[in-house]
Amino acid sequence: MSSSVMLSPEKTKVSEIDKEEVLRLRKIARDLRIKIINMLAEAGSGHPGGSLSAIDIITTIYFHFMKIDPKNPKWPERDRFVLSKGHAAPALYSVLATLGFFDEKELMTLRKFPSKLQGHPDKLTTPGVDMSTGSLGQGLSVSTGMALGARLDKKDIRIFTVCSDGEHQSGMTWEAVLSAAKFKLDNMTVFIDNNGLQIDGRTDTIMPVMPLKEKYLAFNWNVYEVDGHDIEAIIEAAYKAIAHKGQPSVIICKTIKGKGVSFMEDQVSWHGVAPSMEEAAKAIEELKAMEIK
Amino acid sequence: MSEKRFIGTRNAYGEFLKEIGKENPNVVALDADLSCSTQTCKFYDEYPERFFNIGISEQNLVGTAAGLAAYGKKPFISTFAVFASGRAWEPIRQSLCVPKLPVNIIATHGGVTVGADGGSHQMTEDFAIMRALPNMIVLCPADGYETKAMLRRLVEYNDGPAYVRLSRIKFPVIYDDNYKFEIGKSDTLRDGKDITIIAVGYMVHAALEAAEQLAVDGIDARVINMASLKPIDEEAIIKAARETRRIVTIEEHQIYGGLGSAVAQVVAENHPVPMRIMGVHDKFGLSGEADQLLEYHGLTSSGIVEKVKSLL
């Protein structure tokens, strides 16, 4: 399977998006959800909620948009990906393994000693990880640096970033929001996994960040809002974002924490707790029964 | 003796940036709204497309540089030492040290010689908090030529980040264009057998003056410029402990976690000898002239002479 897809920014209407491609991505996302559950159950710790809320977004980015070569993870011409919400590492690892950056067997070593797969993304240990993350609020800033570098070299390289809504409580995120607008970084596309929950509770009660759309517009960004589990909608918005010049683009993706596993959905308690083997079996049963159309 | 020449370490940095920008198109410079003070404006003047002013946001300064380095650029980033090391410490840890990204943090206005701006702007804890970070190199030059030699070495170093502390004030010149700087190596500026004075930055000059004053009294002091605080030159420290049996350290830094602590660790583990650690004693600075402040903190050649005599 080719992971390198030529971008077609002119394809911006839903009707023109290949339905077969959308179906393919939905199936991949379902399979990745199963891998995430398996990894976390085996690891005995980690973050299922935010991995499942972000997986449709990350699947779309990697399997539809990114110019990458799994055989050559440090290919200088590749697009870059920054998982600013580093605790969703299982989602990223499941994608990288499926694309062939490393052996899928490694997934079962997540969080164990010694493993290529650290609790949070580590660019020194995991092939395909472009930036070490885990301390929230830094990935957007790092992405602006990558975007500046690619632009200096006049390269057709895009920076894809996935951050959380909770990260917008961090001052450093807003420093980067200012900066990306100042430098007109239209070679970066930011996806916000807006699942509305964080460790201590609902984001609206811990420290409200909404409305994000109006905030980003006020900060001079190009903004889209989509259902973060509607792959077709994510693709459409991303094509528009890529085609947009002169401003950085953000796609605010409304998501459900724990999406795909009934007992995890929208539950704060599933932020940072791994499923037991029984719970994992139940989750996988549900995911396998999920109708993909 | 010819007349003393003075060059600011930050002025040498500005000169270096002009030169390296021409030689190496991969070098970029970033600042956080202090480019005239830090001298990164010299880079902006010549290569505006490769200079990024990030504004008063030091965490973003570090994050942006991390992204540039992760992409493949060679960033030099600057602001005052207090903001560069303090405000941005955790992004430095997570986004530079953990992924070993080759970003050079060139922090100006270190130490108490910042002067009139007062305690808020006099960074005296940076060596401690930067030394504590795995994968971080910590350097502080003693003159303009050493500054340039050090920065040239860092252009070739790609294994991780480095922190370099520079000063506001001009330093007397010790070296020349032929000076070669090696990471992890010190420079013995004066040999001696009775005691060793290990100094860093501007304090190297006080140490050299003290050695001359001590010579008048028949005391033969060795003076070492320990410009590489991490990694530190263990060999030179152990040799000094063995051969001179006493060590005094001096730095424009708190007595905790800086040069004195680093030297004491090597001495204690390898060849224990009596030591005196000179620095700032657990307090913040005051406004004043650089010389008045050094006097206030006891960081003078006469202060060193007194400490040396207390050990003999």
Side-chain angles (χ1 to χ4, degrees):
Chain A
M1 175 200 55
S2 167
S3 57
S4 180
V5 177
M6 293 311 291
L7 301 184
S8 315
E10 69 279 6
K11 263 183 158 188
T12 56
K13 292 194 177 64
V14 188
S15 58
E16 291 173 19
I17 294 166
D18 186 348
K19 300 287 175 188
E20 286 301 312
E21 170 66 355
V22 173
L23 191 64
R24 178 182 82 93
L25 295 172
R26 283 187 182 146
K27 283 180 178 157
I28 292 171
R30 190 265 308 273
D31 293 347
L32 295 177
R33 282 192 161 87
I34 293 172
K35 287 176 190 175
I36 290 166
I37 296 294
N38 273 326
M39 289 167 79
L40 285 165
E42 178 64 28
S45 70
H47 301 81
S51 297
L52 294 172
S53 65
I55 194 63
D56 295 311
I57 302 165
I58 301 175
T59 298
T60 307
I61 295 170
Y62 264 97
F63 289 85
H64 190 77
F65 285 102
M66 276 183 80
K67 184 175 65 183
I68 44 175
D69 179 3
K71 296 285 169 282
N72 186 8
K74 292 182 177 167
W75 179 37
E77 304 297 320
R78 74 191 187 280
D79 289 335
R80 279 17 177 219
F81 180 80
V82 178
L83 183 63
S84 190
K85 47 169 290 181
H87 55 284
L92 177 57
Y93 296 156
S94 69
V95 166
L96 294 176
T98 304
L99 285 169
F101 280 94
F102 51 85
D103 196 313
E104 286 215 25
K105 284 187 203 125
E106 300 274 353
L107 293 178
M108 291 300 121
T109 68
L110 172 69
R111 288 176 164 255
K112 291 180 178 171
F113 182 86
S115 172
K116 276 198 178 96
L117 307 184
Q118 295 296 296
H120 292 82
D122 184 336
K123 80 188 285 284
L124 299 181
T125 62
T126 313
V129 169
D130 289 322
M131 184 58 192
S132 306
T133 52
S135 172
L136 295 174
Q138 302 191 20
L140 200 56
S141 181
V142 172
S143 303
T144 64
M146 290 177 171
L148 284 170
R151 190 169 68 186
L152 267 182
D153 286 354
K154 300 185 168 59
K155 297 280 188 188
D156 181 22
I157 291 172
R158 180 151 292 274
I159 318 303
F160 293 96
T161 309
V162 171
C163 56
S164 68
D165 43 10
E167 284 190 281
H168 290 76
Q169 293 163 350
S170 164
M172 190 175 168
T173 295
W174 294 106
E175 292 181 359
V177 170
L178 281 171
S179 203
K182 169 190 165 175
F183 295 115
K184 302 182 167 56
L185 297 174
D186 53 19
N187 57 345
M188 62 189 282
T189 312
V190 176
F191 298 76
I192 301 175
D193 176 10
N194 179 204
N195 64 34
L197 299 180
Q198 55 192 112
I199 298 187
D200 268 3
R202 298 211 164 263
T203 301
D204 278 349
T205 57
I206 303 302
M207 184 53 71
V209 298
M210 301 307 275
L212 282 173
K213 181 185 173 185
E214 285 76 0
K215 286 188 176 76
Y216 270 94
L217 284 172
F219 278 74
N220 204 16
W221 279 56
N222 178 42
V223 186
Y224 303 96
E225 280 185 307
V226 298
D227 172 348
H229 302 301
D230 181 346
I231 284 174
E232 201 170 293
I234 300 170
I235 292 176
E236 186 189 353
Y239 273 127
K240 286 181 185 165
I242 290 165
H244 186 85
K245 298 296 167 206
Q247 282 179 308
S249 290
V250 60
I251 303 173
I252 302 165
C253 303
K254 185 79 199 91
T255 57
I256 296 166
K257 202 150 182 163
K259 173 72 178 178
V261 177
S262 62
F263 57 92
M264 290 185 178
E265 286 192 0
D266 202 34
Q267 297 297 312
V268 170
S269 57
W270 284 102
H271 174 92
V273 179
S276 66
M277 288 298 172
E278 293 78 34
E279 287 164 334
K282 204 176 146 198
I284 289 166
E285 199 179 321
E286 276 187 23
L287 289 165
K288 282 186 172 162
M290 188 190 276
E291 198 186 348
I292 309 286
K293 53 180 183 186
Chain B
M1 205 174 126
S2 62
E3 205 180 316
K4 254 190 187 174
R5 279 203 301 144
F6 289 82
I7 298 176
T9 51
R10 63 184 166 125
N11 304 96
Y13 172 44
E15 286 298 310
F16 158 81
L17 282 176
K18 262 168 73 172
E19 294 165 14
I20 203 68
K22 190 171 184 183
E23 292 167 29
N24 188 335
N26 218 31
V27 167
V28 295
L30 292 83
D31 206 294
D33 194 37
L34 286 167
S35 63
C36 292
S37 299
T38 66
Q39 296 292 299
T40 58
C41 59
K42 296 287 194 301
F43 189 86
Y44 172 75
D45 290 343
E46 304 284 331
Y47 322 101
E49 72 291 347
R50 281 188 274 152
F51 175 82
F52 305 107
N53 200 327
I54 302 297
I56 309 161
S57 62
E58 294 76 13
Q59 298 175 55
N60 192 36
L61 175 74
V62 168
T64 307
L68 279 156
Y71 169 79
K73 293 289 168 190
K74 189 78 190 175
F76 281 77
I77 67 173
S78 291
T79 179
F80 288 180
V82 64
F83 314 126
S85 65
R87 186 65 164 265
W89 188 86
E90 202 261 357
I92 290 172
R93 179 185 190 274
Q94 306 288 355
S95 291
L96 299 186
C97 294
V98 170
K100 287 185 160 181
L101 288 170
V103 170
N104 296 307
I105 305 168
I106 314 301
T108 67
H109 296 65
V112 303
T113 49
V114 166
D117 274 353
S120 63
H121 283 55
Q122 294 167 8
M123 187 46 162
T124 52
E125 305 88 48
D126 50 346
F127 294 158
I129 60 177
M130 290 293 115
R131 278 183 64 237
L133 291 166
N135 303 332
M136 179 62 91
I137 282 178
V138 183
L139 310 174
C140 179
D143 85 345
Y145 288 97
E146 185 168 45
T147 305
K148 276 194 170 182
M150 191 177 267
L151 296 172
R152 288 213 162 264
R153 175 68 189 88
L154 290 177
V155 174
E156 307 304 321
Y157 177 80
N158 287 306
D159 295 337
Y163 177 84
V164 180
R165 183 214 266 195
L166 304 181
S167 294
R168 184 186 67 80
I169 58 165
K170 288 187 163 45
F171 289 12
V173 168
I174 300 176
Y175 301 109
D176 59 30
D177 271 328
N178 299 316
Y179 178 69
K180 292 271 180 287
F181 174 80
E182 270 188 74
I183 294 167
K185 290 287 173 210
S186 63
D187 186 39
T188 301
L189 288 166
R190 178 183 179 123
D191 206 2
K193 59 180 180 2
D194 297 328
I195 190 157
T196 299
I197 307 165
I198 303 179
V200 67
Y202 191 58
M203 292 298 96
V204 169
H205 304 281
L208 286 169
E209 276 175 35
E212 283 189 23
Q213 290 167 31
L214 288 163
V216 174
D217 295 334
I219 299 163
D220 189 15
R222 180 178 301 184
V223 176
I224 297 177
N225 167 19
M226 194 61 74
S228 181
L229 284 146
K230 187 190 175 190
I232 203 161
D233 190 346
E234 297 199 10
E235 200 184 319
I237 296 169
I238 296 165
K239 188 166 178 275
R242 286 217 175 93
E243 294 176 359
T244 72
R245 304 170 308 283
R246 306 156 191 96
I247 293 174
V248 171
T249 65
I250 182 161
E251 61 201 301
E252 265 186 84
H253 187 273
Q254 299 292 332
I255 53 171
Y256 309 113
L259 171 70
S261 296
V263 170
Q265 188 168 355
V266 175
V267 168
E269 287 190 338
N270 295 281
H271 193 89
V273 295
M275 277 186 68
R276 292 286 183 271
I277 293 172
M278 298 179 70
V280 176
H281 282 253
D282 207 16
K283 59 185 170 191
F284 291 112
L286 298 170
S287 289
E289 295 296 327
D291 286 345
Q292 291 174 313
L293 295 168
L294 290 169
E295 186 79 40
Y296 168 74
H297 290 287
L299 302 174
T300 58
S301 56
S302 56
I304 296 172
V305 167
E306 203 178 299
K307 287 287 179 198
V308 165
K309 288 185 174 169
S310 77
L311 272 179
L312 291 169

